[in-house]
Amino acid sequence: MEMMVKEAAESPAGTANNRQPMVRYRNVTKQFGDLQVLHGINFDVKAGEKIALIGPSGSGKTTIGRLLMTLEEPTSGTIEVDGEPLWHREVKGKQVRADEKHLHQMRTKIGMVFQHFNLFPHMNVLRNVTEAPMRVLGLSKQEATERAIEMLKKVGLEDKLTIYPAKLSGGQKQRVAIARALVMRPQVMVFDEVTSALDPELVGEVLEVIKEIAAEGEMAMLLITHEMDFAREVADRVIFFADGLIVEEGSPAKLFEEPESERLQSFLRRIR
């Protein structure tokens, strides 16, 4: 049932290059008690590549992102980021569990935008965006502020610097969350169902921001989404998950127009 992603596959949009993968999952499993949510997952994300993860709720795609963000630890298998093991270190030729220092260093390479914004309600927009670069990257207040204003301009919110989250719409909150992730200048970004908590009329403004960021082509992206039109437009490659397995993968045109597996065909029929 599981289809492994071809490591040497060309990116349909041509944005990825031929360097080592930016992210590599190898035989990754995840179990919560008696429930196994991932079964031996294998795939790579090239530098600059945009991959959409689609599938029914409970298929394991959000867990993929949480493992990369070190919010959950794999039960078995390995994850590498920019050629370095994420959850392990090599000590005298043996793999040992990574310590907090190693995890902290690796987290600086990864950004994530969540479904529910997770903004600090007692901080204004500017402070929400500058807090992490000052605390985690050690930037001065001036450096962090300059970088934050640049990112807030990118998401169209440079006029909201002194506003608190309670005064923002859901779409504006999510755009602040995107700026907060971008200000760390990660090498790979995870977008986890970023429109699922928004009112329908606000979905478009957030997706447009992500499309613009994706078009710049600089960062690798994992786009966990139920928005099929968005996945078709933005992704270089689409991976369909079901029951904790990779069932099918390929270009957006191939998966959406010529799905091979009955499982994917059934999924697409239900959401159209």
Side-chain angles (χ1 to χ4, degrees):
M1 185 178 184
E2 180 179 1
M3 180 181 291
M4 288 179 58
V5 174
K6 298 178 181 63
E7 293 182 21
E10 291 296 326
S11 165
T15 58
N17 57 38
N18 294 319
R19 295 181 298 177
Q20 69 178 8
M22 179 54 62
V23 179
R24 171 168 282 179
Y25 289 79
R26 283 293 173 267
N27 301 314
V28 172
T29 69
K30 181 59 183 175
Q31 195 161 338
F32 296 100
D34 294 331
L35 176 64
Q36 187 154 355
V37 295
L38 293 176
H39 303 265
I41 298 300
N42 293 275
F43 74 94
D44 294 345
V45 184
K46 297 178 183 178
E49 190 176 20
K50 318 303 186 243
I51 297 183
L53 307 184
I54 66 170
S57 297
S59 60
K61 57 189 186 297
T62 287
T63 302
I64 286 289
R66 290 180 65 83
L67 293 174
L68 185 60
M69 277 297 295
T70 71
L71 298 173
E72 303 285 353
E73 184 172 358
T75 302
S76 63
T78 62
I79 302 172
E80 294 181 5
V81 178
D82 197 23
E84 292 187 74
L86 178 61
W87 281 100
H88 300 86
R89 292 186 303 122
E90 293 285 337
V91 178
K92 297 181 179 179
K94 294 183 179 181
Q95 279 194 346
V96 299
R97 188 181 184 280
D99 56 20
E100 188 56 37
K101 181 180 179 181
H102 176 80
L103 290 174
H104 176 82
Q105 182 263 325
M106 295 299 289
R107 287 181 191 123
T108 64
K109 302 182 180 185
I110 308 159
M112 186 168 187
V113 181
F114 300 87
Q115 299 176 30
H116 296 290
F117 327 132
N118 294 344
L119 300 180
F120 296 113
H122 62 289
M123 296 181 183
N124 64 25
V125 166
L126 183 61
R127 180 83 185 279
N128 261 284
V129 180
T130 57
E131 189 73 2
M134 288 192 294
R135 288 183 176 271
V136 178
L137 301 182
L139 298 188
S140 69
K141 184 176 181 179
Q142 180 178 344
E143 289 174 316
T145 298
E146 290 173 356
R147 191 183 289 191
I149 291 173
E150 177 189 354
M151 292 303 123
L152 287 164
K153 284 182 179 178
K154 187 184 290 283
V155 301
L157 292 174
E158 67 270 27
D159 60 338
K160 304 293 185 183
L161 302 184
T162 61
I163 304 299
Y164 286 80
K167 299 292 186 180
L168 300 174
S169 70
Q172 289 171 333
K173 290 177 185 176
Q174 195 58 288
R175 285 188 279 150
V176 173
I178 292 170
R180 183 178 58 183
L182 290 175
V183 81
M184 302 296 287
R185 297 181 180 171
Q187 293 171 274
V188 57
M189 279 277 285
V190 181
F191 293 91
D192 181 20
E193 299 286 9
V194 295
T195 61
S196 64
L198 299 178
D199 293 332
E201 66 269 21
L202 300 176
V203 169
E205 70 180 65
V206 173
L207 294 184
E208 280 303 315
V209 167
I210 298 174
K211 288 176 188 177
E212 291 171 9
I213 296 166
E216 294 175 359
E218 296 176 0
M219 291 182 299
M221 292 184 180
L222 283 181
L223 305 157
I224 302 164
T225 185
H226 281 108
E227 302 282 347
M228 297 301 108
D229 290 341
F230 171 68
R232 182 192 292 263
E233 184 175 350
V234 173
D236 300 318
R237 185 153 47 104
V238 179
I239 302 179
F240 172 63
F241 280 79
D243 304 317
L245 295 166
I246 294 175
V247 178
E248 198 167 336
E249 64 86 21
S251 70
K254 178 180 181 298
L255 255 71
F256 291 125
E257 297 170 18
E258 301 175 359
E260 296 179 358
S261 66
E262 174 56 36
R263 191 73 176 84
L264 177 54
Q265 292 169 18
S266 174
F267 173 76
L268 292 175
R269 282 195 299 268
R270 287 199 306 272
I271 63 174
R272 283 172 176 164

